[in-house]
Amino acid sequence: MKNNIRDLRAEKQLTQGDLAEAVGVSRQTINAIEKEKFDPSLPTAFRIARLFGRTIEEVFRYEEV
Amino acid sequence: MKNNIRDLRAEKQLTQGDLAEAVGVSRQTINAIEKEKFDPSLPTAFRIARLFGRTIEEVFRYEEV
DNA sequence: GACATTTGTTAAATATTGTTTACATTTGTC
DNA sequence: GACAAATGTAAACAATATTTAACAAATGTC
């Protein structure tokens, strides 16, 4: 799973901590998702996308196995 | 999280077993998601949406807490 | 009504994801 | 270079997703 959270976050000038607070997860969780250590849960993905005013497909890109 | 997998599945005349196989999860997982027992992972949500030719937002509806 | 198919459900076990804590590294500013 | 802010990372744990197996209930067909 790829994502462009880093760019979207930069656009809005939010730190990982800002985003974490807005989304309701820990800063380390945002960091891990951003660094693509693991995928967020579907609810978390929805909250992230919504926060940026984007669809999930615009934020995350799934590459078929 | 709400979803309309049941209707989409009916449109395509797929059984839960058919969908499970196409998506790559167990039939019970499809049943549980369909009955909204729990949310799928993000990759599974992507595969389900893709299979129906829909976006995740068209298949799943997230209601803010 | 017998039969096959589909769906619902439950329990236990496993895998994956999210949180916390703590510390290290990087980056920017003075 | 000192300092603060931001980011990276890791281990332990908590929470959730998924599988497997088994059986019950519903549905459709003959």
Side-chain angles (χ1 to χ4, degrees):
Chain A
M1 191 82 65
K2 301 282 187 181
N3 71 74
N4 43 33
I5 294 176
R6 174 139 316 200
D7 293 341
L8 292 166
R9 197 164 56 74
E11 274 179 23
K12 295 223 172 194
Q13 301 200 343
L14 297 175
T15 67
Q16 291 180 347
D18 293 336
L19 180 55
E21 191 179 2
V23 167
V25 297
S26 70
R27 179 185 69 79
Q28 287 84 343
T29 293
I30 292 296
N31 182 271
I33 294 168
E34 201 170 293
K35 302 284 290 183
E36 291 163 0
K37 297 285 176 60
F38 56 71
D39 304 319
S41 69
L42 187 54
T44 299
F46 261 101
R47 279 188 243 113
I48 292 172
R50 189 168 289 183
L51 194 109
F52 289 125
R54 308 292 170 110
T55 64
I56 288 182
E57 279 83 357
E58 285 170 338
V59 179
F60 299 91
R61 190 169 75 256
Y62 179 62
E63 334 225 296
E64 200 68 52
V65 235
Chain B
M1 190 83 66
K2 302 283 186 181
N3 73 73
N4 43 32
I5 294 176
R6 173 138 316 199
D7 293 339
L8 292 166
R9 195 164 58 71
E11 274 178 24
K12 294 224 172 193
Q13 301 200 342
L14 298 174
T15 67
Q16 290 180 349
D18 293 336
L19 180 56
E21 191 179 1
V23 166
V25 296
S26 71
R27 178 186 69 79
Q28 287 85 340
T29 293
I30 293 297
N31 181 272
I33 294 169
E34 201 170 293
K35 302 285 289 182
E36 291 163 358
K37 296 285 175 61
F38 55 72
D39 304 319
S41 70
L42 188 53
T44 299
F46 262 101
R47 279 188 242 111
I48 292 172
R50 190 168 288 183
L51 194 110
F52 289 125
R54 308 293 171 109
T55 65
I56 289 183
E57 279 84 355
E58 285 170 339
V59 179
F60 299 91
R61 189 169 75 256
Y62 179 63
E63 334 225 299
E64 199 67 53
V65 236

